[in-house]
Amino acid sequence: MDLPMRIKTALGNALRSRPVSSICRRSYTLANLQDMILSLPGLLYLISKGRTLDPYSQARIIGIGQIEEEIKWVADIIRKHQPQYLLELGTQKGGNAFFLSHYMPENGTIITVDVAPRIIFDMARSNYRRKEKRKQKAGIAYRKPGMVFSSGCTCFRKMVLRRLAAHNCNLQSFYTYLQPEEDAQYIHSTLLNGELFDVIFYDADKSKHGINAILDAFLPFLKINGLLVIQDINYSVDSGNNGMRLYWENLPEDKFRRVGELTI
């Protein structure tokens, strides 16, 4: 194991320890600092040597939420159609957008949208506390006492994505404050200067209400003959939260033509 990876392992073990994680969960600033320090060794390795790795291995260093077969299926769509403007709904840590930048045309644009990190942190902390109290009342030890809270695509990660995107891709991260109609209009008029998207890649809220509200706001800004890619339609069925599957199955046939579905 080379030095950067040894440093990453040592830092990871220390920062994920129960005492450190418990302290970081109390503060948004500390949670972001924890995420940044945990990310730095891998990112330094990526900058110095990572370009010799395949795109998926690079994206794993940044943090990618999709298994390789799924995201490569999306990449094949991008490589085939070579869209100039791609919208990703659901940034997470940015690994998906970074990976897809390798398959965009030179100087293409990716706008990736997710809930503002502060909102993600506050929701995670509230959810953690609620579950912890329920477990304590039931006399059950709560899972992962050293769990690290995710703050999504932090400002630090936004900077990293812009710096490391492939093919001179204009990769921009946009924070939403849960106002999809306003966000869609702003992105269209300001970030894209009135252009429309060639592809919309949806990997956000899986609930029926969530996907309806978000896509109803953004689909008017998809080009005629543009592509809509919806992630996790089969996962949603397994989890009982089947909003993505219902949306996919009920796409109006006078506006959409299904061209493929990946089953893993």
Side-chain angles (χ1 to χ4, degrees), residues 32-63:
N32 276 268
L33 183 61
Q34 183 186 33
D35 177 69
M36 184 177 71
I37 296 173
L38 282 169
S39 304
L40 271 176
L43 293 174
L44 291 174
Y45 178 81
L46 184 58
I47 292 171
S48 62
K49 299 180 181 180
R51 296 300 185 178
T52 61
L53 302 174
D54 64 274
Y56 188 78
S57 296
Q58 294 181 48
R60 287 186 63 189
I61 294 175
I62 290 178

Side-chain angles (χ1 to χ4, degrees), residues 183-195:
D183 296 336
Q185 184 62 53
Y186 177 84
I187 291 171
H188 167 66
S189 60
T190 304
L191 300 187
L192 291 187
N193 296 316
E195 296 287 347

Side-chain angles (χ1 to χ4, degrees), residues 66 87-97 111-115 153 174 176 201-205 214:
Q66 304 299 332
L87 172 68
E88 180 192 31
L89 296 167
T91 309
Q92 297 178 336
K93 290 188 176 293
N96 286 349
I111 307 292
T112 180
V113 179
D114 213 336
V115 177
C153 189
F174 179 85
T176 174
F201 174 40
Y202 186 91
D203 188 22
D205 192 335
I214 296 170

Side-chain angles (χ1 to χ4, degrees), residues 27-217:
S27 165
Y28 172 70
T29 301
L30 289 177
N32 276 268
L33 183 61
Q34 183 186 33
D35 177 69
M36 184 177 71
I37 296 173
L38 282 169
S39 304
L40 271 176
L43 293 174
L44 291 174
Y45 178 81
L46 184 58
I47 292 171
S48 62
K49 299 180 181 180
R51 296 300 185 178
T52 61
L53 302 174
D54 64 274
Y56 188 78
S57 296
Q58 294 181 48
R60 287 186 63 189
I61 294 175
I62 290 178
I64 188 166
Q66 304 299 332
I67 63 174
E68 191 169 4
E69 291 85 354
E70 290 178 337
I71 197 64
K72 281 190 172 181
W73 185 74
V74 179
D76 287 340
I77 294 173
I78 303 304
R79 180 165 43 197
K80 177 180 178 180
H81 293 276
Q82 290 292 281
Q84 188 63 34
Y85 301 104
L86 184 150
L87 172 68
E88 180 192 31
L89 296 167
T91 309
Q92 297 178 336
K93 290 188 176 293
N96 286 349
F98 169 79
F99 177 80
L100 294 177
S101 73
H102 290 78
Y103 301 92
M104 292 286 288
E106 192 77 15
N107 298 312
T109 295
I110 296 178
I111 307 292
T112 180
V113 179
D114 213 336
V115 177
R118 183 56 191 250
I119 297 178
I120 292 176
F121 173 80
D122 288 343
M123 291 172 63
R125 184 167 61 174
S126 175
N127 189 50
Y128 181 90
R129 287 175 175 172
R130 184 170 60 252
K131 288 185 176 180
E132 189 175 37
K133 288 180 180 178
R134 290 176 181 173
K135 293 288 187 178
Q136 288 174 351
K137 288 181 179 179
I140 302 173
Y142 188 54
R143 62 185 176 87
K144 296 183 180 180
M147 182 174 62
V148 176
F149 275 10
S150 170
S151 294
C153 189
T154 61
C155 293
F156 171 71
R157 288 182 174 275
K158 285 178 67 172
M159 178 186 67
V160 168
L161 290 176
R162 290 182 67 91
R163 166 70 174 79
L164 296 181
H167 297 167
N168 296 317
C169 184
N170 176 24
L171 202 170
Q172 301 183 47
S173 300
F174 179 85
Y175 293 153
T176 174
Y177 291 87
L178 307 178
Q179 300 290 333
E181 292 184 359
E182 295 179 8
D183 296 336
Q185 184 62 53
Y186 177 84
I187 291 171
H188 167 66
S189 60
T190 304
L191 300 187
L192 291 187
N193 296 316
E195 296 287 347
L196 299 175
F197 287 105
D198 300 288
V199 176
I200 293 179
F201 174 40
Y202 186 91
D203 188 22
D205 192 335
K206 296 178 176 61
S207 69
K208 181 179 178 180
H209 170 76
I211 188 172
N212 284 336
I214 296 170
L215 284 181
D216 285 354

